[in-house]
Amino acid sequence: MFNALVVNKDADSGKTSAAVQQIDVSDLPEGDVLIDVEFSTVNYKDGLCIGPGGGLVRNYPHVPGIDFAGTVAESSDDRYKPGDRVVLTGWRVGEMHWGGYAQKARVKADWLVPLPEGLSTRQAMAVGTAGFTAMLAVMALENQGLTPSDKPVLVTGAAGGVGSVATAILANLGYQVAAVTGRAEASEYLTSLGATQIVPREELNETTKRPLESENWSGCVDAVGGDMLARVLGQMAYGASVAAVGLAGGAALPATVIPFLLRGVNLLGIDSVMQPYDNRLVAWQRIARDLPLDKLDAMINPATLTDLPGLGSDILKGQVRGRVVVDVNA
C-alpha cells in the first residue's frame, strides 16, 4: 500500500473531491514500467484535474499529476532497468492515465525519458512540463533565426512556470529579456532570474486599432494569448517570431494578418504533450546545459501531497509563482 492523491466525483451532484488515500500496486493501470515516484509538480492542467476536471478527466476515481520523476522499480521493457532515473511529462498522463501524485506510478516505456546527467529528480520537477515547454519555445525561436541583439526578447506571463524558466534560460544564453507581469511584487523575482526590463501587463493588455506599432521585440515567448498576443504581434521586429505556449488570457486571437504580411512575423505553436522522443531528449539535454540551476532552485516552492487540493485551486486563480515541487514521500 502507498499514498496517492485520489480524486472522486459524486455521481449525483457532479462535484469532485480530492484527498490523500492509501492504494495498492494492483490498483495502478497497466504499463511496462513501475516507477518509485520521488517528485511531481503543479501545472494549470493539474489544477483542472484536481478540481473540476476541465474535460481532461474521463473516469473516476482518478490520480492526477501530469509530471513526475523517480526511479525504475520494475520494467518489462529492455530500455529501462531497476535503478534507472527517469522523467515523464505529457502523453495525457495525469489526465487519461493515472499520474504522478502518488508514491508509485505505472506507465508505458515510450512515455519516459532518461533523466539527463547533472539534474536531480527534484530539479527535473522544478522544470516539469512548464520548463520543458519553455525550452521547446526557445529552441523553436532559435530555429527561426533568433540570436542575441539590441532588441529584447519579450516573455509574457513571466512570473508563471513557463515564463520563469524561459526568462532564466534566455538570460543565461545572453539575451536581453523583457518580462511582462501584472504583479508589481514579482519585479525583484524576475530581475533575479535575469530579466533586464519589467513590462507592466497593462501596457500590453489593451487592444489597439493600429495593426503595426514600433518594432520593439526580437522574439517572444507568449503564455497569455488573447488580446495581449494580438497586441504583441504588431510590435515584433521584421522577420521575428512569437512562440505561443499558453492561453492564460484567452483562446481567441483578435488580430489582423498585417504583421505576417508586412513584417514577415512568424507565429509558432508549441506543444509539449505529444512531442516525439528524440525532440524530448534534445530539449532535456539543453535544459541540463542552458538552465542555470541556482536560478532554478530559487523558483522552487516545496509542497506535499496534502497541499495539492489547495494548490490546484490557487493555480487556476493565477496565484502560484515560480515552480511548485511536490515531494510525494514527505
Side-chain angles (χ1 to χ4, degrees):
M1 303 292 289
F2 58 92
N3 290 330
L5 184 79
V6 180
V7 181
N8 286 285
K9 187 174 187 177
D10 185 85
D12 296 324
S13 67
K15 292 184 178 180
T16 59
S17 60
V20 177
Q21 299 178 16
Q22 287 251 305
I23 63 174
D24 190 85
V25 173
S26 61
D27 296 322
L28 293 173
E30 293 182 359
D32 311 311
V33 186
L34 179 67
I35 310 296
D36 287 327
V37 179
E38 296 169 18
F39 295 96
S40 186
T41 184
V42 179
N43 301 281
Y44 191 86
K45 278 186 178 180
D46 293 315
L48 292 173
C49 294
I50 293 169
L56 301 176
V57 181
R58 305 290 175 82
N59 299 302
Y60 293 90
H62 180 68
V63 176
I66 69 171
D67 300 337
F68 66 78
T71 303
V72 173
E74 300 174 7
S75 176
S76 60
D77 188 287
D78 292 339
R79 287 172 288 179
Y80 297 101
K81 64 183 185 300
D84 287 347
R85 298 190 310 159
V86 292
V87 60
L88 183 145
T89 62
W91 299 114
R92 306 296 307 275
V93 171
E95 305 170 41
M96 303 291 290
H97 189 95
W98 281 14
Y101 290 164
Q103 292 174 306
K104 294 182 183 294
R106 189 157 48 209
V107 297
K108 293 182 179 180
D110 289 342
W111 298 341
L112 297 168
V113 174
L115 192 68
E117 290 293 326
L119 279 183
S120 67
T121 51
R122 183 174 186 267
Q123 289 168 330
M125 284 300 96
V127 175
T129 282
F132 177 62
T133 302
M135 189 73 250
L136 291 174
V138 172
M139 290 164 57
L141 293 173
E142 290 175 339
N143 288 341
Q144 291 294 323
L146 180 69
T147 56
S149 71
D150 59 345
K151 295 184 188 299
V153 178
L154 190 71
V155 178
T156 69
V162 178
S164 293
V165 179
T167 298
I169 290 173
L170 287 164
N172 190 52
L173 291 172
Y175 294 91
Q176 299 180 65
V177 180
V180 182
T181 182
R183 294 178 270 178
E185 68 276 9
S187 297
E188 184 176 347
Y189 166 71
L190 291 168
T191 302
S192 75
L193 296 181
T196 53
Q197 180 181 347
I198 304 299
V199 181
R201 182 193 298 160
E202 55 268 22
E203 290 189 12
L204 294 174
N205 244 358
E206 295 182 7
T207 56
T208 177
K209 293 181 179 179
R210 291 179 293 168
L212 293 176
E213 299 181 74
S214 298
E215 300 180 40
N216 295 330
W217 321 114
S218 63
C220 175
V221 177
D222 175 61
V224 175
D227 291 342
M228 186 176 294
L229 174 55
R231 183 77 182 273
V232 166
L233 287 169
Q235 297 183 358
M236 302 306 296
Y238 188 89
S241 299
V242 178
V245 303
L247 41 64
L253 184 57
T256 76
V257 297
I258 299 302
F260 307 118
L261 302 182
L262 298 187
R263 282 199 187 147
V265 171
N266 305 293
L267 182 57
L268 313 174
I270 307 298
D271 167 66
S272 67
V273 177
M274 306 304 290
Q275 277 290 319
Y277 178 79
D278 288 346
N279 289 0
R280 290 175 182 272
L281 278 183
V282 172
W284 276 105
Q285 289 162 0
R286 286 286 306 271
I287 287 166
R289 187 185 79 197
D290 295 333
L291 175 59
L293 296 184
D294 59 330
K295 299 289 195 297
L296 180 66
D297 291 338
M299 300 177 201
I300 293 176
N301 297 304
T304 66
L305 289 177
T306 55
D307 297 322
L308 286 169
L311 287 167
S313 175
D314 288 346
I315 200 166
L316 294 181
K317 299 174 185 174
Q319 296 174 349
V320 173
R321 189 185 82 176
R323 301 293 296 134
V324 175
V325 175
V326 182
D327 184 347
V328 301
N329 297 296

